[in-house]
mmCIF file of all heavy atoms in Angstrom:
data_model
loop_
_atom_site.group_PDB
_atom_site.id
_atom_site.type_symbol
_atom_site.label_atom_id
_atom_site.label_comp_id
_atom_site.label_asym_id
_atom_site.label_seq_id
_atom_site.Cartn_x
_atom_site.Cartn_y
_atom_site.Cartn_z
ATOM 1 N N ALA A 171 14.299 61.011 -61.777
ATOM 2 C CA ALA A 171 15.262 62.074 -61.978
ATOM 3 C C ALA A 171 15.085 62.659 -63.364
ATOM 4 O O ALA A 171 14.734 61.992 -64.330
ATOM 5 C CB ALA A 171 16.673 61.506 -61.883
ATOM 6 N N PRO A 172 15.278 63.979 -63.500
ATOM 7 C CA PRO A 172 15.098 64.647 -64.812
ATOM 8 C C PRO A 172 16.210 64.217 -65.733
ATOM 9 O O PRO A 172 17.295 63.785 -65.314
ATOM 10 C CB PRO A 172 15.216 66.120 -64.476
ATOM 11 C CG PRO A 172 16.033 66.185 -63.235
ATOM 12 C CD PRO A 172 15.651 64.955 -62.478
ATOM 13 N N ASP A 173 15.940 64.349 -67.037
ATOM 14 C CA ASP A 173 16.952 64.043 -68.028
ATOM 15 C C ASP A 173 18.123 65.014 -67.888
ATOM 16 O O ASP A 173 17.912 66.231 -67.779
ATOM 17 C CB ASP A 173 16.396 64.163 -69.447
ATOM 18 C CG ASP A 173 15.365 63.011 -69.742
ATOM 19 O OD1 ASP A 173 15.507 61.959 -69.127
ATOM 20 O OD2 ASP A 173 14.467 63.249 -70.568
ATOM 21 N N ALA A 174 19.361 64.438 -67.894
ATOM 22 C CA ALA A 174 20.516 65.292 -67.836
ATOM 23 C C ALA A 174 20.910 65.728 -69.251
ATOM 24 O O ALA A 174 21.591 66.736 -69.426
ATOM 25 C CB ALA A 174 21.664 64.552 -67.165
ATOM 26 N N VAL A 175 20.550 64.892 -70.243
ATOM 27 C CA VAL A 175 20.772 65.287 -71.657
ATOM 28 C C VAL A 175 19.511 64.930 -72.434
ATOM 29 O O VAL A 175 18.773 63.992 -72.077
ATOM 30 C CB VAL A 175 22.002 64.545 -72.265
ATOM 31 C CG1 VAL A 175 23.246 64.908 -71.551
ATOM 32 C CG2 VAL A 175 21.767 63.015 -72.232
ATOM 33 N N ALA A 176 19.218 65.673 -73.458
ATOM 34 C CA ALA A 176 18.057 65.437 -74.278
ATOM 35 C C ALA A 176 18.491 65.223 -75.696
ATOM 36 O O ALA A 176 19.574 65.644 -76.121
ATOM 37 C CB ALA A 176 17.062 66.643 -74.218
ATOM 38 N N ARG A 177 17.689 64.508 -76.473
ATOM 39 C CA ARG A 177 18.033 64.222 -77.896
ATOM 40 C C ARG A 177 18.316 65.508 -78.623
ATOM 41 O O ARG A 177 17.554 66.472 -78.546
ATOM 42 C CB ARG A 177 16.855 63.506 -78.529
ATOM 43 C CG ARG A 177 17.059 63.155 -79.999
ATOM 44 C CD ARG A 177 15.785 62.490 -80.591
ATOM 45 N NE ARG A 177 15.985 62.176 -81.992
ATOM 46 C CZ ARG A 177 16.458 61.036 -82.423
ATOM 47 N NH1 ARG A 177 16.814 60.091 -81.574
ATOM 48 N NH2 ARG A 177 16.593 60.813 -83.753
ATOM 49 N N GLY A 178 19.453 65.577 -79.283
ATOM 50 C CA GLY A 178 19.840 66.744 -80.037
ATOM 51 C C GLY A 178 20.746 67.725 -79.292
ATOM 52 O O GLY A 178 21.339 68.613 -79.878
ATOM 53 N N ASP A 179 20.861 67.487 -77.959
ATOM 54 C CA ASP A 179 21.712 68.380 -77.144
ATOM 55 C C ASP A 179 23.205 68.169 -77.532
ATOM 56 O O ASP A 179 23.635 67.037 -77.782
ATOM 57 C CB ASP A 179 21.557 68.050 -75.625
ATOM 58 C CG ASP A 179 20.342 68.653 -75.005
ATOM 59 O OD1 ASP A 179 19.621 69.413 -75.744
ATOM 60 O OD2 ASP A 179 20.040 68.378 -73.829
ATOM 61 N N HIS A 180 23.941 69.270 -77.528
ATOM 62 C CA HIS A 180 25.369 69.159 -77.681
ATOM 63 C C HIS A 180 25.984 68.825 -76.285
ATOM 64 O O HIS A 180 25.577 69.466 -75.283
ATOM 65 C CB HIS A 180 25.983 70.449 -78.240
ATOM 66 C CG HIS A 180 25.813 70.575 -79.690
ATOM 67 N ND1 HIS A 180 26.646 71.315 -80.501
ATOM 68 C CD2 HIS A 180 24.870 70.063 -80.539
ATOM 69 C CE1 HIS A 180 26.274 71.222 -81.749
ATOM 70 N NE2 HIS A 180 25.173 70.485 -81.801
ATOM 71 N N VAL A 181 26.849 67.853 -76.235
ATOM 72 C CA VAL A 181 27.423 67.446 -74.951
ATOM 73 C C VAL A 181 28.944 67.366 -75.054
ATOM 74 O O VAL A 181 29.519 67.369 -76.170
ATOM 75 C CB VAL A 181 26.886 66.036 -74.541
ATOM 76 C CG1 VAL A 181 25.373 66.037 -74.351
ATOM 77 C CG2 VAL A 181 27.262 64.972 -75.623
ATOM 78 N N ILE A 182 29.587 67.311 -73.913
ATOM 79 C CA ILE A 182 30.985 67.143 -73.814
ATOM 80 C C ILE A 182 31.305 65.663 -73.608
ATOM 81 O O ILE A 182 30.817 65.083 -72.631
ATOM 82 C CB ILE A 182 31.643 67.962 -72.685
ATOM 83 C CG1 ILE A 182 31.344 69.445 -72.879
ATOM 84 C CG2 ILE A 182 33.127 67.683 -72.604
ATOM 85 C CD1 ILE A 182 31.993 70.018 -74.152
ATOM 86 N N ILE A 183 32.053 65.020 -74.506
ATOM 87 C CA ILE A 183 32.435 63.605 -74.366
ATOM 88 C C ILE A 183 33.815 63.510 -73.788
ATOM 89 O O ILE A 183 34.762 64.129 -74.301
ATOM 90 C CB ILE A 183 32.413 62.896 -75.737
ATOM 91 C CG1 ILE A 183 31.074 63.055 -76.459
ATOM 92 C CG2 ILE A 183 32.788 61.432 -75.594
ATOM 93 C CD1 ILE A 183 31.067 62.547 -77.907
ATOM 94 N N THR A 184 33.920 62.826 -72.667
ATOM 95 C CA THR A 184 35.217 62.608 -72.028
ATOM 96 C C THR A 184 35.605 61.172 -72.221
ATOM 97 O O THR A 184 34.881 60.248 -71.793
ATOM 98 C CB THR A 184 35.183 62.947 -70.557
ATOM 99 O OG1 THR A 184 34.832 64.302 -70.374
ATOM 100 C CG2 THR A 184 36.568 62.723 -69.911
ATOM 101 N N ALA A 185 36.697 60.905 -72.942
ATOM 102 C CA ALA A 185 37.255 59.588 -73.105
ATOM 103 C C ALA A 185 38.326 59.448 -72.016
ATOM 104 O O ALA A 185 39.306 60.206 -71.998
ATOM 105 C CB ALA A 185 37.848 59.373 -74.486
ATOM 106 N N ARG A 186 38.147 58.459 -71.110
ATOM 107 C CA ARG A 186 39.036 58.390 -69.973
ATOM 108 C C ARG A 186 39.730 57.036 -69.877
ATOM 109 O O ARG A 186 39.126 55.968 -70.149
ATOM 110 C CB ARG A 186 38.257 58.634 -68.682
ATOM 111 C CG ARG A 186 39.060 58.791 -67.404
ATOM 112 C CD ARG A 186 38.184 59.027 -66.239
ATOM 113 N NE ARG A 186 37.362 60.238 -66.386
ATOM 114 C CZ ARG A 186 37.839 61.479 -66.140
ATOM 115 N NH1 ARG A 186 39.043 61.643 -65.784
ATOM 116 N NH2 ARG A 186 37.026 62.491 -66.298
ATOM 117 N N SER A 187 40.998 57.109 -69.473
ATOM 118 C CA SER A 187 41.777 55.903 -69.167
ATOM 119 C C SER A 187 42.641 56.222 -67.938
ATOM 120 O O SER A 187 43.679 56.876 -68.076
ATOM 121 C CB SER A 187 42.628 55.485 -70.363
ATOM 122 O OG SER A 187 43.442 54.354 -70.027
ATOM 123 N N GLY A 188 42.228 55.749 -66.811
ATOM 124 C CA GLY A 188 42.924 56.064 -65.538
ATOM 125 C C GLY A 188 42.852 57.567 -65.297
ATOM 126 O O GLY A 188 41.790 58.173 -65.306
ATOM 127 N N SER A 189 44.037 58.188 -65.125
ATOM 128 C CA SER A 189 44.092 59.637 -64.862
ATOM 129 C C SER A 189 44.184 60.458 -66.155
ATOM 130 O O SER A 189 44.129 61.686 -66.156
ATOM 131 C CB SER A 189 45.274 59.956 -63.950
ATOM 132 O OG SER A 189 46.485 59.550 -64.583
#
Side-chain angles (χ1 to χ4, degrees):
D173 291 332
V175 297
R177 181 184 179 89
D179 281 355
H180 282 206
V181 297
I182 300 297
I183 304 172
T184 300
R186 188 180 301 279
S187 177
S189 59

